[in-house]
Amino acid sequence: MGGLLEKAEKKPPPSCLYQDLDIVPKTLRDLLTEDISEVLIDSQLEYERAVSFAKAFIPKLAGRIKLYKGEVPLFEKFHIENSIGKALSRKVYLSGGGYIVIDETEALVSIDVNSGKFKKAKTLEETALDVNLRAAREIARQLRLRDIGGIVVIDFIDMKSEENKKLLLETLENELKKDRARTKIVSMSDLGLVEMTRKRVKMSLGKTLTTTCPYCEGKGRVKSPETVAFEVEREVLFLLKRKSNINLIRIYVHPLVSEKLENDEKEIFDKISETFGVEMRIVPVESYHIEKFTVAHC
């Protein structure tokens, strides 16, 4: 703090008083630990910078940084794009057939544990415990991988045994100890809801690599073809009642909506065409979002 104040007093504004490390040294600072066996870099320049940084600040781990010289691109060789896709997915599958669903909201992160196609044990209690323990390990990993922070609510499968609940919490706590970010389990309700917090240091992976859908605005759902078809029907009727001397109406819609109009709603549109003496043509447009439609007339 003293150094920043001294700089602020000596440098004329506007001046940069502090700048964080570039992406490579910053990544090494935050993630290179004893648990990491090897770091591969495919750029000679970045490799030299990384080694220089590591020798200065984490010398005992500098030897783990290697220059990748393979012919196959680094991301392709280790399927990095596929891994990023999985890290952004809501659903994460567990070994054995269960899965967890992760939803980030403005207020908190909710994680739902489901047994899915998990092979059932002798009793429901044993099945719930097995799925929950696998989920606890994966949840701790996903929190680190996705850099999720703030309030986290986990809906584990309900268990009756207090001993099993205690084992689940101990497992989750032990897995969270691997996390460099500060975490704290607040409580576990009778229904199996676990409330915990994880220190938010920066934006999560999801918020860094994605943006809110401009169509659904974060709801995660869009109108069905049936709903859009009804909207088209109302728009056409409104147009015909408002304007006269219309001979032809062209309706531009997404192909799924076009299929709905030409099949399920065909009888209704034939009746409208007959009643108002107007020809109607439905034009499917591949590039249209499913909720978009255009009604043109002449």
Side-chain angles (χ1 to χ4, degrees):
M1 179 64 73
L4 288 177
L5 291 175
E6 187 177 338
K7 285 183 180 180
E9 292 172 355
K10 291 183 178 180
K11 289 191 174 184
S15 297
C16 179
L17 301 180
Y18 172 79
Q19 183 174 353
D20 201 1
L21 296 169
D22 290 338
I23 184 66
V24 173
K26 183 179 180 181
T27 301
L28 294 175
R29 179 196 67 189
D30 295 342
L31 300 178
L32 183 54
T33 63
E34 293 286 353
D35 297 333
I36 305 298
S37 59
E38 189 177 52
V39 177
L40 297 178
I41 300 178
D42 59 1
S43 163
Q44 180 71 40
L45 176 61
E46 293 298 340
Y47 165 74
E48 292 174 357
R49 291 178 61 198
V51 171
S52 176
F53 173 83
K55 285 181 177 179
F57 296 97
I58 36 179
K60 64 179 181 178
L61 300 179
R64 301 188 186 188
I65 302 173
K66 307 290 177 58
L67 178 64
Y68 177 74
K69 297 181 179 180
E71 294 183 3
V72 179
L74 192 59
F75 270 40
E76 183 177 340
K77 181 177 177 63
F78 293 98
H79 311 290
I80 302 300
E81 297 290 355
N82 186 42
S83 297
I84 292 174
K86 288 182 178 179
L88 296 175
S89 175
R90 290 180 65 239
K91 185 178 289 188
V92 179
Y93 289 96
L94 308 171
S95 59
Y99 62 92
I100 60 176
V101 178
I102 304 173
D103 284 310
E104 286 190 68
T105 68
E106 292 298 322
L108 51 81
V109 176
S110 68
I111 303 178
D112 186 35
V113 180
N114 297 275
S115 59
K117 297 181 180 179
F118 191 82
K119 186 177 180 181
K120 303 296 186 290
K122 293 181 180 180
T123 66
L124 291 176
E125 183 77 8
E126 290 179 3
T127 301
L129 176 61
D130 199 351
V131 175
N132 282 341
L133 291 178
R134 295 174 192 236
R137 299 184 187 100
E138 185 60 34
I139 287 168
R141 175 177 173 271
Q142 289 295 326
L143 292 178
R144 298 194 303 271
L145 180 65
R146 300 175 186 230
D147 231 341
I148 290 173
I151 300 172
V152 180
V153 177
I154 308 169
D155 185 8
F156 285 106
I157 299 174
D158 187 28
M159 297 185 296
K160 304 298 181 184
S161 169
E162 292 300 324
E163 185 178 340
N164 287 343
K165 291 179 182 180
K166 182 179 178 182
L167 176 59
L168 174 59
L169 285 178
E170 288 176 351
T171 301
L172 182 59
E173 286 175 347
N174 289 334
E175 292 297 321
L176 290 174
K177 288 178 182 178
K178 301 175 183 178
D179 200 336
R180 296 183 67 180
R182 187 168 67 250
T183 59
K184 179 182 178 182
I185 297 177
V186 179
S187 65
M188 182 176 190
S189 72
D190 293 336
L191 296 176
L193 289 175
V194 172
E195 297 178 20
M196 62 166 289
T197 60
R198 183 176 187 271
K199 185 178 180 182
R200 182 183 284 114
V201 179
K202 56 183 178 180
M203 286 196 300
S204 67
L205 181 68
K207 290 184 178 179
T208 300
L209 298 183
T210 65
T211 186
T212 302
C213 171
Y215 298 110
C216 72
E217 296 181 347
K219 296 192 298 293
R221 302 182 68 85
V222 294
K223 295 175 182 176
S224 66
E226 292 88 346
T227 299
V228 180
F230 295 150
E231 289 182 354
V232 170
E233 180 184 323
R234 289 193 291 271
E235 179 70 19
V236 168
L237 286 172
F238 178 75
L239 175 65
L240 290 171
K241 290 177 180 179
R242 188 164 52 97
K243 289 192 175 184
S244 57
N245 301 322
I246 295 179
N247 299 314
L248 173 65
I249 290 179
R250 287 190 177 90
I251 304 169
Y252 299 89
V253 291
H254 184 276
L256 290 177
V257 180
S258 170
E259 183 180 346
K260 183 64 61 176
L261 292 173
E262 292 176 334
N263 292 291
D264 297 354
E265 303 302 316
K266 185 177 185 304
E267 185 177 341
I268 293 176
F269 273 82
D270 286 345
K271 188 173 182 180
I272 293 174
S273 179
E274 181 182 347
T275 301
F276 290 91
V278 61
E279 180 184 357
M280 288 194 288
R281 297 178 187 172
I282 300 170
V283 183
V285 184
E286 289 283 351
S287 61
Y288 266 27
H289 182 268
I290 195 167
E291 293 184 355
K292 179 179 178 181
F293 64 87
T294 303
V295 177
H297 64 89
C298 60

